[in-house]
Amino acid sequence: MMNIAAWTAYGPPSVLSLRQVPIPEVSSTDILVRVKAAGVAGWDTEIRALAIPAPVNYLTRLAFAVMRPQTLGQQFVGVVEKVGDKVTRFKKGDKVYGTTGLFPCAYAQFLVVSVAKDPSSFAPENFLDPIVRHVPSFLSDPEASLLPLSGSEALSYVTQAGIGPTSRVLLVGAAGNVGIFAAQIAKRHLGAATVVAVDVGSARTEMLRALGCCDQIIDAAPENNTNTAADQGDDGTNPPSRTDSSSYLSRFPPASFDVIIDMPGVLSMRTVLTLLAPNGLYLPIVPTPSNAADSFFSWPDGKRTQGGAARYTYEGMETLEQMAEKGLVRVVVDKVFGLDRAREAHEHFEGKERRGCVAIVME
Ligand SMILES: NC(=O)c1ccc[n+]([C@@H]2O[C@H](COP(=O)([O-])OP(=O)(O)OC[C@H]3O[C@@H](n4cnc5c(N)ncnc54)[C@H](OP(=O)(O)O)[C@@H]3O)[C@@H](O)[C@H]2O)c1
């Protein structure tokens, strides 16, 4: 038997509780991993609460009704305990990390993942199958548990955005799981000319300051924003009104950014179109139908929206490892919680004091 942080209903963090279940069986192309840590992702908390925009919420409910996951977690690090008879890439005792694919199962002492698809046959559009690699020795367990999904998502978005040395980049939600990686990759790996990072609250902005890769950091919390009339843009260029939740951005003149990545999906199209330079790209990463539909729409001056799922690839993980080894990307682990405290891990993740990523450790 093994312990899992059981997930039995959609709802608040209290729906997670410790439970014993049988250790899963391996089939011929699977590996059984003794999990050392599982990285908490924004998506984990959203599916736990079914706080997902329609129609993705219906699809998620349907998929999970069929798959019946017992727990959450789609990124992990651990040690191979058993391999199926057709597995050649891994052997017992190997330390591995990766994604579980669509099936969440990482908040557990053991998990089974299929390694049927090897790196050479893995399509980038594929988000259903797991990606599993040997762990580089320079990553701690909590760090390694956060790179596969959260790091890969950030790399996917900044790559899709075509960020380069002349790019002026606005990252909204920069202190979240994806944003922390996106800010570092954009500045240190891709050499963006300017990275402006926005998040809510002083805990988050302090963390971003300590990261040392942002040219400007803005606290979106209204009480910490000293927007004055002058900030509203007195150049007569249609500034957002004070009721616009992103009015703190009116300090920037029109066409200030080549790329806007909006992690929580909070910017209005009006704000986006004002701030984007001609041929600029807006990437709202929350999967809503309107974000997807906007991708097919041409805005004036060649401005574009690109919604859609992140791409997870073996090459992406390798690139992240190289960046982490060179110190270009740091995995900012704020707190770790034991498996019996998965509920608290989610509470902390969703709370205002989070200053980085959160991991669940098994021992
Ligand atoms: N399409 C895909 O394939 C894909 C891939 C990865 C992620 N996603 C989605 O992208 C979203 C972000 O993911 P994540 O893991 O980075 O989540 P996260 O860790 O919760 O990060 C979001 C950050 O944005 C902040 N925020 C909220 N409202 C804001 C505002 N008005 N202005 C500035 N910042 C604000 C949040 O603060 P608070 O915590 O205080 O709200 C949080 O720090 C999630 O909805 C996730 O499901 C989609």
Side-chain angles (χ1 to χ4, degrees):
M1 299 291 280
M2 67 169 182
N3 289 331
I4 63 168
W7 174 48
T8 49
Y10 293 110
S14 57
V15 299
L16 298 174
S17 61
L18 201 66
R19 184 171 291 184
Q20 284 220 320
V21 298
I23 294 174
E25 296 293 326
V26 291
S27 74
S28 59
T29 53
D30 292 341
I31 57 173
L32 175 73
V33 177
R34 180 187 288 272
V35 181
K36 292 183 100 45
V40 176
W43 183 240
D44 292 345
T45 62
E46 288 162 11
I47 54 177
R48 188 211 67 229
L50 203 68
I52 304 166
V56 182
N57 56 350
Y58 300 119
L59 297 172
T60 306
R61 201 184 257 274
L62 181 67
F64 290 163
V66 174
M67 293 193 296
R68 295 194 170 277
Q70 296 178 302
T71 185
L72 293 165
Q74 289 172 301
Q75 50 186 347
F76 67 92
V77 57
V79 177
V80 176
E81 195 71 16
K82 204 187 264 186
V83 299
D85 55 13
K86 291 197 180 130
V87 174
T88 52
R89 268 200 301 142
F90 301 104
K91 61 180 188 320
K92 185 173 175 350
D94 284 357
K95 193 160 180 193
V96 295
Y97 76 142
T99 63
T100 66
L102 194 61
F103 189 70
C105 56
Y107 295 3
Q109 285 181 311
F110 292 90
L111 61 79
V112 161
V113 276
S114 164
V115 290
K117 291 244 168 65
D118 70 16
S120 61
S121 61
F122 203 88
E125 298 74 25
N126 184 345
F127 61 92
L128 301 177
D129 286 316
I131 291 183
V132 185
R133 281 175 61 82
H134 290 98
V135 187
S137 56
F138 53 84
L139 291 173
S140 70
D141 290 342
E143 287 170 346
S145 75
L146 287 150
L147 211 58
L149 197 76
S150 306
S152 295
E153 284 162 352
L155 180 65
S156 166
Y157 287 115
V158 296
T159 309
Q160 284 176 47
I163 292 170
T166 59
S167 303
R168 296 161 300 166
V169 181
L170 173 65
L171 296 176
V172 179
N177 261 27
V178 178
I180 290 172
F181 290 104
Q184 298 180 83
I185 299 168
K187 190 70 188 181
R188 300 208 180 105
H189 178 61
L190 301 170
T194 318
V195 172
V196 175
V198 183
D199 212 291
V200 186
S202 48
R204 310 279 169 82
T205 51
E206 274 167 30
M207 185 277 293
L208 286 168
R209 211 156 278 124
L211 213 49
C213 63
C214 305
D215 297 283
Q216 201 171 331
I217 295 159
I218 299 174
D219 188 342
E223 66 274 20
N224 299 339
N225 240 294
T226 51
N227 258 359
T228 63
D231 286 324
Q232 295 293 316
D234 53 8
D235 55 4
T237 50
N238 206 15
S241 74
R242 275 185 178 276
T243 55
D244 187 326
S245 65
S246 55
S247 60
Y248 53 85
L249 291 172
S250 57
R251 70 189 69 184
F252 296 102
S256 284
F257 299 101
D258 304 296
V259 173
I260 299 176
I261 307 185
D262 183 1
M263 257 64 71
V266 289
L267 299 188
S268 67
M269 266 329 277
R270 181 167 170 243
T271 302
V272 166
L273 291 174
T274 305
L275 290 176
L276 268 188
N279 302 314
L281 179 66
Y282 174 54
L283 275 154
I285 74 168
V286 176
T288 64
S290 68
N291 288 340
D294 284 348
S295 308
F296 297 98
F297 195 79
S298 289
W299 302 104
D301 302 324
K303 297 173 190 181
R304 291 163 298 132
T305 299
Q306 194 172 305
R311 293 173 162 212
Y312 308 93
T313 63
Y314 277 95
E315 293 76 17
M317 267 181 74
E318 207 177 329
T319 306
L320 285 163
E321 285 165 14
Q322 287 161 2
M323 284 189 264
E325 188 169 20
K326 287 183 199 154
L328 300 177
V329 162
R330 188 158 63 84
V331 187
V332 182
V333 181
D334 175 22
K335 279 199 172 180
V336 298
F337 294 83
L339 186 60
D340 56 338
R341 295 176 65 210
R343 174 179 64 79
E344 289 162 71
H346 273 216
E347 282 167 354
H348 182 69
F349 187 94
E350 292 173 315
K352 294 293 168 209
E353 295 308 312
R354 172 162 56 111
R355 298 162 187 256
C357 302
V358 175
I360 294 174
V361 291
M362 305 309 152
E363 289 153 11

